[in-house]
Amino acid sequence: MKKTLDMVQKGRRARVRGLCAKGKLLHKLLDMGFVNNVEIEVIREAPLFDPMELKIHNYHLSVRRSEAHLIEIEEQE
Amino acid sequence: MKKIKVALAGQPNCGKSTIFNMVSGIEQHIANYPGVTVDKKVGFFKYEEYKVEMVDLPGTYSFSSYSLEERTAKEFIIDESPDIIVNVIDASNLKRNLYLTFQLLEIGIPVIVVLNMMDVAKRRGIEVDSKKIAFMLHCPVIEAIGSRGVGGEEVMKSIIATHENRENYEEFKINYEELEPHISLIEKEFEGTTSNLKKRWQAIKVLEGDTTIIERLKQNIPNIEETAKQEERIFHERYDRDFPSFLASVRYESADIICHKSLVEKNIKKETWTDKADKILLNRYLAIPILIFIMFLVYEISIVWGYKLTDYTWPLLAAIKNFVVDILPSADIIDVPMITDFGIWMVNSANALMNYIPIFFILFALIAIMEDVGYMPRMAFILDRVFRKFGLHGQSTLPLVLGGAMVGGCAVPGVMATKGIADERARMATILTVPYMNCLAKVPFYTLILGAFFKPDMALMMFFISTVTLFIALIVAKIFTSTILKTRETAPFLMELPPYHIPTFKGVIIRATQRVWVYIKKVVTIVLAVAIILFAMLQFPGLSVESQAKYDAQVETMLQKFDKKLETNSYYKEIDTREEVSSLLNYYDAYRAKRMVATSKESAKAVDEEYLERSAIYYKFLKPKSDKDAKTINKNLRKLSKERKRILRNVKNEKIENSLLGMTGKFVEPVTQYAGFDWKINVAFLSSFAARESAVATLGSIYENNKADGMRAEEAMALNSGYTPLHAIAIIIFMILTPPCIATMIVVKIQAGSYRWMIFAIFFPVILGIIISSLVFSLGSSYQWSGIEAMSYFYFTVVLLALILGLFPHRSKNWKGGIEIQNNNV
């Protein structure tokens, strides 16, 4: 099974491997920097567990789990 | 004087507006871009022999066509062809900011890069070599610290220099490697067409699938879209990649190269200030209590303290009113000239709205502070999960709180605060639900009715009223988003949590002032227009001839009585004609009105002196001291004044009953009777549309007891109306649901962008209100519920319904291609 970003635990890092999105969402993800091989760190979850906060390209971004589910990743050690 | 047009572009949170305020000074104005509700800020400044017009484009992460802001920004560049683009970038977040810079450079208009927040970068141990960046990008790069006013002069100088040197402008090119042959192929398609836009840029945009550009090109090159699709297929087959992701990758890689060559990061692992703050503010257990505390603080400072502040500003407005009353022709006993009535009505309507300006100013300033600090997106982050269940967005928190999540708020700033919500459907839903929140001006109305019918249970009832509104708002939001707004565009939730910043005083004040000004310009003017219509509806057709004669006779008796009693008085010659009595009466009433608003001893004394100067003899009747005859006159004068007020009130009530508004109230009685409303209540609701406050005033005057003047409005209503507590509950429920005042409707129109939404926002709640209050009233009458029982049943039904709807699965996605399982390599 392919791993997606929503499965990554708090404090872990991952690299982007692919995006399951098209059109508007794809563009938005690309603009925010979800390009191939970029490293993402999961900083924390919101108090109600969704959305999650990420660090990407050295800035902080919050993403709903439904969106994170569309980002395929490979976990880093 | 020569002119230069400059576009100011940059990503959100890069400090673009501080740069804008720094450079353009205070000569700026806000409008909307044609056809859309996006703010267009324009500022002007003079430098050497140039007049520079600077347009602040909406902040965007990218320059494609996927959001309203991006589309607007791009259309501005295409249609207005500015001479220079000034690109503000955040030095502490260089890489992502450069992503936009590359897209701006490609346009082919000279770009000046402003490296803002140099101080923040330094504090974080980031050293930026701006000369290297300038060398690599072939454009001027200026270091700036917007919050401290550093770099403004250099930006102006650079604009002039770049403009004078525009002939030598060298086009910027990123090498897109594998994509280059496709770009040149598309460029060839443009042969023979003329456009002032650069061909390479248009070609890149076509390959990106940019709808704005493609639509424009189609007029000359009809098959452009097909050609681009064809190219994409070839590219995809050869490299297994798509144009958009390829372009994004190359841009981010190029940004990475520039960062590598021009940045030295020292303490890369060190925790920043923002990280530390977020550990507390976004802590799993502390986040929600802190958020509630901050909301409470905002509410307390703006609404509660602001309301107290109006105690000081109100006398000012009252003075304006008195001034207008003074210059208008005065009344002759009960014949008040139409122009006087009208003037007073208009001043009252304007004052009712102007009274809120201190509150709005504080509120807008606090919002500006929260925006600048960076707390807004965090608020959305914390509560998104709850609101999403009802089709709203984390960013709906603030509008709903302002609208009155607590005891009372105001929908006007609430609706205005919806502007920033990224998701179109959630934004519309928020605009339409904020008016259901507890309006501050409804509170006196509730107090009146609760005081009349539920004296012992007032606290419980007030609790029901103020908390039920939030649940109603959530239910309505859920209904709207799953029906009429179902097909509206939603946006993916990708929201930056920017570093915290200390806001600048100037920036906050400018923003608050501008928003208050928008309020005054748009709301007050239209409300006054509606006030005129309402005035006409209350005045016409007026009294019948018989009634007029009846009241005239009453006046005659009243005057004769007065005359007879004072025949033997030594001052009789001062008051022996009707004109004299009339002017004395006006003198007396005007004096009392002015003394009422005089708050200090000094101002009271000033009023005394003014009236002494106006007429020394009349003044004796005001303050008779030990003069026995004057005392008698004073006593009778007071009686006369009271009697005149009584007659005037009767005239007014009869006028209302016969007026167009009164007729409307009676006309809808067959429908409203199911909710237990008679025409009087209907009229009160109708007039409350102009401004909430007038509902209380209208009810008060309709039910005022003419015999016992000492009775308070609550008691009079309980006694004279013949209503039961169940009637009262129906009235309260209708009031909870009814549409907001016109001021709110105007902002709904501004934010939703059409009159149709405004009309919908008026009629939906009215119909809903009638249905629900009729239901409660009829059920209550047949099961003999008490008022409290009826309200409790209503309350718990609403809460239960909200909870059930919250558990319902929601459709949060409305964009295309969301859950495609097939894999696109990036």
Side-chain angles (χ1 to χ4, degrees):
Chain A
M1 201 183 99
K2 274 177 186 161
K3 272 213 155 183
T4 52
L5 184 59
D6 57 318
M7 302 174 192
V8 180
Q9 295 289 311
K10 177 183 156 187
R12 303 287 300 241
R13 289 154 197 271
R15 278 186 190 278
V16 173
R17 284 290 170 253
L19 303 176
C20 301
K22 267 187 182 175
K24 185 178 180 169
L25 181 60
L26 176 67
H27 274 265
K28 184 74 188 169
L29 286 170
L30 291 170
D31 288 343
M32 298 314 281
F34 289 91
V35 290
N36 205 9
N37 244 339
V38 73
E39 194 183 66
I40 301 171
E41 185 186 342
V42 177
I43 303 288
R44 63 168 63 81
E45 290 165 327
L48 304 169
F49 301 97
D50 190 12
M52 56 208 286
E53 183 183 346
L54 314 170
K55 193 171 182 183
I56 175 172
H57 293 296
N58 212 16
Y59 79 95
H60 292 249
L61 182 74
S62 67
V63 181
R64 278 186 191 153
R65 280 181 189 280
S66 52
E67 275 83 347
H69 185 67
L70 308 173
I71 300 164
E72 280 175 22
I73 47 95
E74 184 179 300
E75 269 203 76
Q76 300 288 112
E77 287 317 308
Chain B
M1 197 169 247
K2 285 177 265 185
K3 282 184 184 163
I4 307 178
K5 195 185 248 177
V6 177
L8 190 68
Q11 292 192 339
N13 312 310
C14 67
K16 195 156 60 75
S17 32
T18 40
I19 297 287
F20 181 77
N21 288 338
M22 178 171 81
V23 177
S24 63
I26 43 167
E27 201 198 326
Q28 38 177 278
H29 59 83
I30 317 184
N32 280 347
Y33 285 96
V36 287
T37 52
V38 179
D39 267 351
K40 181 184 186 183
K41 271 207 282 178
V42 188
F44 298 92
F45 67 88
K46 288 191 182 97
Y47 197 84
E48 290 171 2
E49 74 265 40
Y50 288 96
K51 177 156 176 144
V52 180
E53 177 190 348
M54 188 178 256
V55 179
D56 188 10
L57 298 180
T60 56
Y61 290 103
S62 173
F63 223 62
S64 45
S65 291
Y66 283 88
S67 75
L68 183 60
E69 283 76 16
E70 289 176 11
R71 220 147 39 216
T72 313
K74 190 158 43 201
E75 272 162 13
F76 177 81
I77 298 275
I78 297 170
D79 296 333
E80 310 245 335
S81 47
D83 302 303
I84 290 168
I85 298 173
V86 173
N87 174 213
V88 181
I89 63 182
D90 174 1
S92 66
N93 189 2
L94 196 58
K95 198 167 156 195
R96 202 200 58 212
N97 276 266
L98 283 172
Y99 179 76
L100 177 70
T101 307
F102 287 128
Q103 299 185 53
L104 295 172
L105 284 164
E106 274 168 5
I107 295 172
I109 295 170
V111 172
I112 297 169
V113 169
V114 178
L115 261 181
N116 193 20
M117 305 205 210
M118 287 300 286
D119 54 335
V120 180
K122 200 167 271 171
R123 216 167 36 232
R124 292 186 167 195
I126 303 169
E127 269 173 38
V128 191
D129 187 341
S130 61
K131 290 206 182 74
K132 266 191 188 159
I133 300 178
F135 175 74
M136 285 185 277
L137 294 180
H138 297 282
C139 73
V141 175
I142 294 151
E143 297 184 11
I145 306 170
S147 55
R148 287 198 228 132
V150 178
E153 187 75 16
E154 286 81 354
V155 173
M156 296 187 204
K157 255 187 209 156
S158 179
I159 290 173
I160 309 297
T162 310
H163 186 68
E164 285 179 344
N165 203 20
R166 63 188 178 280
E167 304 302 327
N168 301 326
Y169 178 73
E170 187 188 343
E171 205 180 324
F172 176 88
K173 272 184 191 172
I174 291 190
N175 186 354
Y176 285 110
E177 315 269 347
E178 294 93 328
L179 207 64
E180 289 298 335
H182 301 278
I183 296 174
S184 10
L185 202 133
I186 297 287
E187 266 185 84
K188 273 198 195 112
E189 295 282 322
F190 300 154
E191 265 166 30
T193 62
T194 48
S195 165
N196 50 356
L197 300 168
K198 287 279 180 296
K199 283 182 180 149
R200 184 181 164 83
W201 180 56
Q202 294 192 70
I204 294 170
K205 286 279 137 190
V206 168
L207 294 181
E208 243 180 31
D210 188 308
T211 44
T212 316
I213 300 284
I214 290 175
E215 287 308 314
R216 277 163 198 264
L217 284 171
K218 263 187 186 167
Q219 291 163 4
N220 290 322
I221 316 158
N223 63 335
I224 190 80
E225 204 171 2
E226 287 70 43
T227 319
K229 287 241 168 79
Q230 174 85 20
E231 292 303 303
E232 180 144 25
R233 263 196 298 277
I234 298 170
F235 188 76
H236 190 87
E237 266 167 35
R238 201 173 293 164
Y239 303 104
D240 193 26
R241 304 188 69 171
D242 298 324
F243 285 148
S245 35
F246 185 82
L247 283 163
S249 293
V250 174
R251 285 174 189 149
Y252 265 105
E253 275 161 26
S254 311
D256 203 37
I257 292 170
I258 289 184
C259 286
H260 258 288
K261 289 193 176 163
S262 61
L263 280 192
V264 186
E265 275 189 86
K266 277 184 221 146
N267 31 18
I268 198 159
K269 290 284 166 211
K270 219 178 112 194
E271 225 179 29
T272 63
W273 228 84
T274 300
D275 292 336
K276 282 179 194 154
D278 271 345
K279 275 202 171 142
I280 300 165
L281 291 172
L282 296 182
N283 177 286
R284 168 147 298 157
Y285 306 102
L286 294 178
I288 294 177
I290 292 175
L291 184 136
I292 292 174
F293 176 72
I294 291 176
M295 284 297 99
F296 175 76
L297 218 60
V298 167
Y299 174 81
E300 185 74 17
I301 294 174
S302 58
I303 310 269
V304 179
W305 297 4
Y307 215 70
K308 281 189 191 137
L309 200 65
T310 58
D311 286 347
Y312 299 95
T313 51
W314 179 249
L316 217 79
L317 296 174
I320 296 175
K321 184 185 159 183
N322 279 336
F323 172 75
V324 173
V325 172
D326 271 351
I327 57 169
L328 288 167
S330 51
D332 172 34
I333 315 288
I334 64 156
D335 276 336
V336 187
M338 177 84 85
I339 178 79
T340 306
D341 252 351
F342 179 69
I344 293 172
W345 169 267
M346 290 309 279
V347 175
N348 276 343
S349 307
N351 277 359
L353 292 168
M354 300 300 265
N355 192 29
Y356 288 106
I357 285 180
I359 297 181
F360 286 172
F361 187 81
I362 300 175
L363 203 54
F364 290 150
L366 289 175
I367 295 174
I369 290 173
M370 283 200 291
E371 282 172 351
D372 288 358
V373 166
Y375 191 66
M376 293 294 219
R378 279 156 177 102
M379 213 153 75
F381 176 70
I382 295 166
L383 285 182
D384 180 64
R385 181 113 191 239
V386 179
F387 286 112
R388 188 167 36 131
K389 292 222 176 290
F390 297 94
L392 297 173
H393 192 277
Q395 288 169 310
S396 310
T397 317
L398 187 79
L400 290 174
V401 167
L402 295 182
M406 281 161 251
V407 180
C410 180
V412 173
V415 174
M416 278 168 106
T418 58
K419 198 156 212 159
I421 301 176
D423 182 310
E424 175 67 9
R425 183 171 71 185
R427 192 178 69 88
M428 285 299 296
T430 314
I431 292 171
L432 295 174
T433 47
V434 166
Y436 289 88
M437 300 306 285
N438 210 4
C439 160
L440 196 63
K442 283 180 185 174
V443 174
F445 183 87
Y446 295 138
T447 327
L448 174 75
I449 294 188
L450 294 182
F453 296 98
F454 299 98
K455 205 110 206 212
D457 306 299
M458 224 160 141
L460 176 72
M461 292 297 285
M462 214 50 209
F463 170 79
F464 278 158
I465 292 172
S466 50
T467 51
V468 80
T469 47
L470 180 64
F471 293 103
I472 292 174
L474 290 178
I475 294 172
V476 171
K478 181 81 181 180
I479 294 172
F480 285 170
T481 48
S482 41
T483 55
I484 46 166
L485 294 175
K486 198 174 177 181
T487 54
R488 281 267 164 165
E489 217 177 336
T490 68
F493 187 94
L494 291 155
M495 195 177 52
E496 187 187 357
L497 300 178
Y500 292 108
H501 284 297
I502 295 169
T504 64
F505 181 74
K506 189 180 165 191
V508 169
I509 296 298
I510 288 182
R511 198 116 40 96
T513 319
Q514 280 169 344
R515 287 185 185 160
V516 168
W517 183 237
V518 168
Y519 170 78
I520 293 176
K521 242 177 21 190
K522 299 220 163 145
V523 176
V524 176
T525 46
I526 299 181
V527 167
L528 290 187
V530 177
I532 294 175
I533 298 172
L534 261 166
F535 177 77
M537 287 187 70
L538 279 168
Q539 283 294 318
F540 297 106
L543 291 182
S544 64
V545 183
E546 298 89 67
S547 308
Q548 187 66 51
K550 183 179 87 192
Y551 290 119
D552 283 344
Q554 280 180 15
V555 171
E556 208 42 57
T557 356
M558 167 181 99
L559 286 176
Q560 267 168 15
K561 239 195 244 163
F562 181 77
D563 195 64
K564 212 166 218 170
K565 278 209 179 127
L566 301 175
E567 251 171 1
T568 53
N569 199 294
S570 58
Y571 293 106
Y572 183 63
K573 67 171 187 341
E574 298 294 337
I575 47 169
D576 60 353
T577 67
R578 188 190 161 107
E579 285 72 39
E580 276 166 355
V581 174
S582 169
S583 73
L584 175 61
L585 208 47
N586 288 335
Y587 178 89
Y588 177 81
D589 284 344
Y591 171 80
R592 303 254 311 219
K594 281 217 176 144
R595 265 309 284 267
M596 210 94 103
V597 294
T599 43
S600 64
K601 257 189 188 159
E602 291 81 53
S603 54
K605 213 172 161 194
V607 174
D608 283 354
E609 271 161 19
E610 188 196 332
Y611 275 81
L612 183 62
E613 204 169 296
R614 273 197 198 179
S615 163
I617 291 181
Y618 283 0
Y619 192 74
K620 256 188 207 161
F621 304 148
L622 291 180
K623 304 239 161 128
K625 289 185 188 143
S626 56
D627 187 334
K628 217 174 161 195
D629 277 351
K631 240 182 201 166
T632 326
I633 294 193
N634 178 281
K635 216 173 85 197
N636 283 296
L637 193 57
R638 195 180 307 159
K639 256 191 218 155
L640 192 68
S641 161
K642 244 183 198 172
E643 183 68 10
R644 169 165 85 153
K645 277 191 186 135
R646 187 189 64 83
I647 299 177
L648 275 176
R649 201 157 49 225
N650 288 344
V651 170
K652 189 179 153 203
N653 285 349
E654 198 171 325
K655 255 191 191 166
I656 291 178
E657 193 171 349
N658 292 330
S659 71
L660 289 169
L661 204 67
M663 285 188 231
T664 319
K666 281 185 183 150
F667 178 74
V668 292
E669 217 178 40
V671 180
T672 59
Q673 61 170 336
Y674 295 104
F677 305 161
D678 57 16
W679 71 268
K680 291 176 182 177
I681 289 288
N682 292 346
V683 168
F685 281 135
L686 286 170
S687 68
S688 84
F689 187 57
R692 280 277 165 249
E693 290 80 357
S694 51
V696 178
T698 317
L699 271 184
S701 84
I702 292 178
Y703 288 118
E704 225 155 2
N705 192 324
N706 295 329
K707 285 162 215 149
D709 251 2
M711 204 181 251
R712 295 173 48 142
E714 289 96 323
E715 297 160 359
M717 186 170 171
L719 258 178
N720 302 340
S721 61
Y723 291 158
T724 63
L726 193 62
H727 279 93
I729 291 299
I731 293 170
I732 288 174
I733 291 175
F734 186 74
M735 196 58 164
I736 289 173
L737 292 165
T738 38
C741 56
I742 320 174
T744 308
M745 287 299 108
I746 302 306
V747 243
V748 166
K749 194 258 145 190
I750 295 170
Q751 296 297 345
S754 88
Y755 280 105
R756 276 166 57 198
W757 281 115
M758 181 179 115
I759 289 167
F760 175 76
I762 296 170
F763 285 101
F764 183 82
V766 172
I767 295 166
L768 190 74
I770 279 291
I771 293 174
I772 293 183
S773 32
S774 302
L775 207 68
V776 172
F777 185 73
S778 340
L779 282 175
S781 328
S782 46
Y783 290 100
Q784 311 247 302
W785 289 344
S786 72
I788 298 273
E789 275 175 334
M791 190 64 191
S792 315
Y793 293 146
F794 170 70
Y795 183 79
F796 290 111
T797 316
V798 168
V799 173
L800 199 70
L801 191 64
L803 292 179
I804 293 170
L805 282 177
L807 293 175
F808 248 75
H810 59 280
R811 234 169 61 112
S812 69
K813 293 186 211 74
N814 224 15
W815 57 83
K816 274 189 193 146
I819 343 174
E820 298 263 326
I821 300 303
Q822 153 236 349
N823 186 10
N824 297 332
N825 274 329
V826 183

